[in-house]
Each structure stands twice: as C-alpha cells, then as structure tokens.
C-alpha cells in the first residue's frame, strides 16, 4: 500500500505536538513502524517533503521515533521498493499545477499542498496520513471531490 505522510505524523511520534494525546502518539509510532515494514512512502521529486521533514525532525535518527523515520526515508528514498518519487510542478511558492484549482480550496494550507499534489500525481492515488492538523478535516469533503483520501491517524485523540 502506498502512502503520503504529512510531517505532523512523525512530529507527533516524537511526542513534540502539544495537541496530541498519549494515545495519538502511540498511533503515530505504530503507523510509522508499519510504513517502514510493509508500505511504500510516496514523495516528490523536488525534495519538498523531505526538506520539510528535515526542518522538523533530526536526520540523525534520534532521539525520537519520528527522527528514526526521517533517517529511514533518507536511507530508502532511492529504493522504489520503499519510496517512490513523483514529479510535481510548482507554479508559484507552495502551489502546484497538480493541486486542484478550485475556489473552495483557496483557504487550504499552502504548505500542505505539496502532499495533495503528490497524492494526485501517483497512479495509485495514495492516502495522505494526518495526525493533528485540522486543515485536513476542514477541507476533507472538498479534497474528496478530486479523489484525495485523508487518513486521520489519531481520529479525535487530540486536545
């Protein structure tokens, strides 16, 4: 199964999110472990997702589970059995040709648009995993119109 992972999932796994309950942290740790064992992470060819991961996690792989996930991504980003890259087309800062040009999505977080562009570009249309970012909930219906599926790892396990 292919997945796109919003940065907030490994950040929560590092227990660095104020709004995540302990159960949410455990769920994020579990999902990152599942990805490393038997899923394929989908990322972009411009390194935008990895760059965002690097800004929020330690690429040394320590001390948290999210940091270890970044190290795994960096180790496996060239291995198509673990990570697949898709080509996305920036049209301006934080906006992409692949992102739906729809007025109902005008307020969607610009920094999260790369995840949508990646999901819509990959032939399998992978789910985007989100832990605590409420923007995904706010725009879930509008994104679904274009085939974007968002998996809420924590459900309501936020403060």
């Amino acid at each position: 199964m292919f997945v796109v992972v919003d940065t907030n999932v490994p950040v929560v796994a590092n227990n660095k999110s104020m709004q995540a309950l302990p159960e949410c942290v455990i769920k994020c740790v579990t999902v990152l472990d599942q990805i490393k064992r038997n899923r394929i992470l989908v990322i972009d060819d411009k390194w935008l997702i990895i760059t965002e991961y690097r800004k929020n996690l330690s690429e040394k792989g320590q001390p948290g589970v999210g940091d270890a996930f970044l190290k795994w991504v960096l180790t496996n980003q060239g291995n198509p059995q673990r990570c697949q890259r898709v080509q996305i087309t920036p049209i301006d800062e934080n906006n992409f040709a692949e992102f739906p040009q729809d007025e109902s999505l005008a307020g969607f977080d610009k920094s999260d648009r790369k995840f949508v562009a990646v999901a819509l570009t990959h032939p399998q249309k992978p789910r985007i995993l989100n832990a605590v970012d409420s923007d995904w909930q706010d725009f879930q219906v509008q994104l679904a119109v274009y085939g974007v599926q968002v998996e809420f790892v924590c459900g309501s396990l936020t403060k």
Side-chain angles (χ1 to χ4, degrees), residues 18-35:
M18 298 294 287
Q19 69 262 43
L21 294 173
E23 296 87 351
C24 178
V25 175
I26 292 168
K27 285 189 173 239
C28 289
V29 167
T30 300
V31 78
L32 292 180
D33 182 55
Q34 291 170 345
I35 292 167

Side-chain angles (χ1 to χ4, degrees), residues 91-106:
I91 54 177
D92 59 40
E93 186 176 356
N94 290 320
N95 204 8
F96 303 90
E98 296 81 4
F99 187 83
Q101 303 304 309
D102 182 326
E103 190 60 35
S104 71
L105 290 168

